[in-house]
Amino acid sequence: MNEEYICRCEEVTRKEIQEAIDDGATTLAGVKRRTRAGMGLCQGRTCQRLVTQMLSKVKEPAEIKPPTSRPPVRAIKIGEIAEEEDE
């Protein structure tokens, strides 16, 4: 049987996400904590829409809030990055 991957970055399947929802996850953050969906390189840009669709079967779509985002640990100026590339 082929598994359908919802989060390709973390290799989380539809079945794993559905199990998390059945286990009580009713938010994107709840699914993320239980499965790691949305924690990969794309930070949920690929899978967030699919997870939201799955959650909308148990919760009103308007009630599903996007997960919180975190800024970088330390802000840096673009010039600092450009200087490193020149070296």
Side-chain angles (χ1 to χ4, degrees):
M1 180 170 97
N2 290 338
E3 295 179 343
E4 181 183 0
Y5 288 98
I6 299 298
C7 178
R8 290 182 245 148
C9 298
E10 292 293 321
E11 297 183 352
V12 180
T13 63
R14 178 176 290 278
K15 180 181 176 188
E16 291 173 301
I17 292 172
Q18 190 59 54
E19 287 172 354
I21 293 169
D22 293 343
D23 193 38
T26 59
T27 64
L28 288 167
V31 171
K32 185 177 184 177
R33 282 188 203 101
R34 288 173 171 84
T35 66
R36 294 193 51 84
M39 295 178 113
L41 290 174
C42 79
Q43 293 293 293
R45 287 179 196 88
T46 304
C47 62
Q48 182 175 328
R49 181 181 55 83
L50 297 170
V51 174
T52 300
Q53 286 176 349
M54 293 177 72
L55 280 170
S56 70
K57 294 177 182 172
V58 296
K59 192 172 184 178
E60 287 295 320
E63 294 177 7
I64 301 172
K65 296 178 180 152
T68 58
S69 62
R70 294 185 176 92
V73 175
R74 176 178 67 93
I76 62 171
K77 296 179 181 177
I78 295 294
E80 292 176 26
I81 296 171
E83 286 174 11
E84 286 184 20
E85 289 179 0
D86 290 340
E87 294 176 0

